[in-house]
Amino acid sequence: MRDLGAGFGHLLRGQRWVARHGRSYGFGLLPGLITLVLYTAALVALALWGEDAAAWATPFADDWSSPWQGLFRGFLTAVLFALGLLLAVLTFTAVTLLVGQPFYESLSEQVDADLSPDGTAPQSGLPLWRELWISARDSLRILVRAALWGVLLFAAGFLPVVGQTAVPVVGFFVTGFFLTEELAAVALQRRGVDLRARLALLRSRKTLVWGFGVPLGLAFLVPFVAVFLMPGAVAGATLLTRDLLGEEDADEDAGDGESTPHVPVVPPARDDG
């Protein structure tokens, strides 16, 4: 329970950090706004032409009598839109981080420098194009994992009782984990921690990760909220990263003195491939 509270505390402290650094917050909003416009256009298109897509995909139902044809294709249209919405929630963070890599990299470095005893932030030493390539590649890998979970949970949703109770709860925990991984990747990638090591590190303290990611995932379901929370979420994920790696904070007020030193389960390993 303590780790749950600590994870949520990192999320709140990240929002407070960007509130005190208005310039960084303003720049951090731009990638989210760009991604929001793209996703909104895609969802509107899905809503407008989803029924046509369902009809095209089910020619065998052309001769069905009313009302079965309408009910069947209406159900498929709703399922298609629900899947699109789920993928939008799961991938919004990854796409926004990819679009805003330079912005969020700079923001995360500022948080690290503020908290570091010597006022410096870890550097990857890689050129920007290399960081973008690694970020895009890892985001695709995470997207595949998230999509598999999404399909599994969607299928489990048809189970009586369990599908309407346990499955949505599990879905929020899965979403929270993957959201946290994507956000923490900004700070962990600068430390040379590759994807496999990142996942092992996050799994070693799942309650801390859930405390951070589940409330954020719930907030991201509200339209436009994700855009305004993204800069603070990146800052909070940097705080969470420092907690996971047991790094000392120089500013107790910024960290509220609640971060518990922790020896990482997996040693950082540079990803050059």
Side-chain angles (χ1 to χ4, degrees):
M1 291 299 294
R2 182 179 181 182
D3 262 358
L4 281 174
F8 186 62
H10 291 319
L11 179 60
L12 295 181
R13 287 192 292 277
Q15 301 301 325
R16 289 205 299 267
W17 189 93
V18 295
R20 296 196 303 267
H21 298 76
R23 184 179 177 86
S24 298
Y25 179 67
F27 280 115
L29 289 177
L30 295 177
L33 289 171
I34 294 171
T35 307
L36 178 65
V37 170
L38 295 175
Y39 272 57
T40 300
L43 289 173
V44 168
L46 192 59
L48 291 176
W49 292 293
E51 187 174 352
D52 293 337
W56 173 81
T58 57
F60 56 85
D62 288 342
D63 298 327
W64 288 13
S65 61
S66 179
W68 303 115
Q69 182 194 82
L71 289 174
F72 176 67
R73 286 178 171 168
F75 173 74
L76 287 183
T77 302
V79 168
L80 183 63
F81 187 82
L83 280 174
L85 189 60
L86 176 62
L87 284 176
V89 172
L90 289 174
T91 62
F92 182 88
T93 300
V95 174
T96 303
L97 289 174
L98 186 61
V99 171
Q101 176 77 15
F103 296 98
Y104 295 134
E105 189 77 22
S106 175
L107 189 154
S108 180
E109 286 182 13
Q110 290 180 52
V111 175
D112 267 326
D114 278 355
L115 296 180
S116 176
D118 58 4
T120 62
Q123 300 289 333
S124 67
L126 298 174
L128 178 60
W129 71 267
R130 187 63 172 170
E131 291 182 350
L132 288 173
W133 161 249
I134 294 174
S135 179
R137 183 196 63 190
D138 290 350
S139 293
L140 181 60
R141 292 175 177 175
I142 290 297
L143 175 59
V144 171
R145 287 177 168 86
L148 290 174
W149 271 100
V151 171
L152 178 63
L153 291 172
F154 177 76
F158 290 99
L159 297 175
V161 183
V162 174
Q164 293 73 49
T165 54
V167 170
V169 174
V170 174
F172 282 122
F173 278 92
V174 171
T175 300
F177 182 89
F178 285 122
L179 277 177
T180 305
E181 193 286 328
E182 288 287 352
L183 291 163
V186 177
L188 287 169
Q189 186 175 311
R190 279 192 294 106
R191 290 162 167 82
V193 183
D194 65 17
L195 178 60
R196 181 172 297 182
R198 289 202 303 267
L199 290 173
L201 185 62
L202 293 171
R203 290 182 187 122
S204 71
R205 294 182 72 185
K206 288 192 290 288
T207 51
L208 179 72
V209 172
W210 288 333
F212 181 92
V214 172
L216 187 62
L218 289 169
F220 275 17
L221 292 176
V222 182
F224 306 112
V225 166
V227 174
F228 297 101
L229 292 185
M230 271 297 292
V234 172
T238 304
L239 296 172
L240 182 140
T241 295
R242 298 180 65 85
D243 189 350
L244 285 169
L245 297 176
E247 296 178 358
E248 180 183 356
D249 287 351
D251 184 356
E252 287 297 319
D253 180 65
D256 289 349
E258 296 177 15
S259 179
T260 303
H262 176 74
V263 178
V265 174
V266 180
R270 179 167 300 281
D271 185 343
D272 293 324

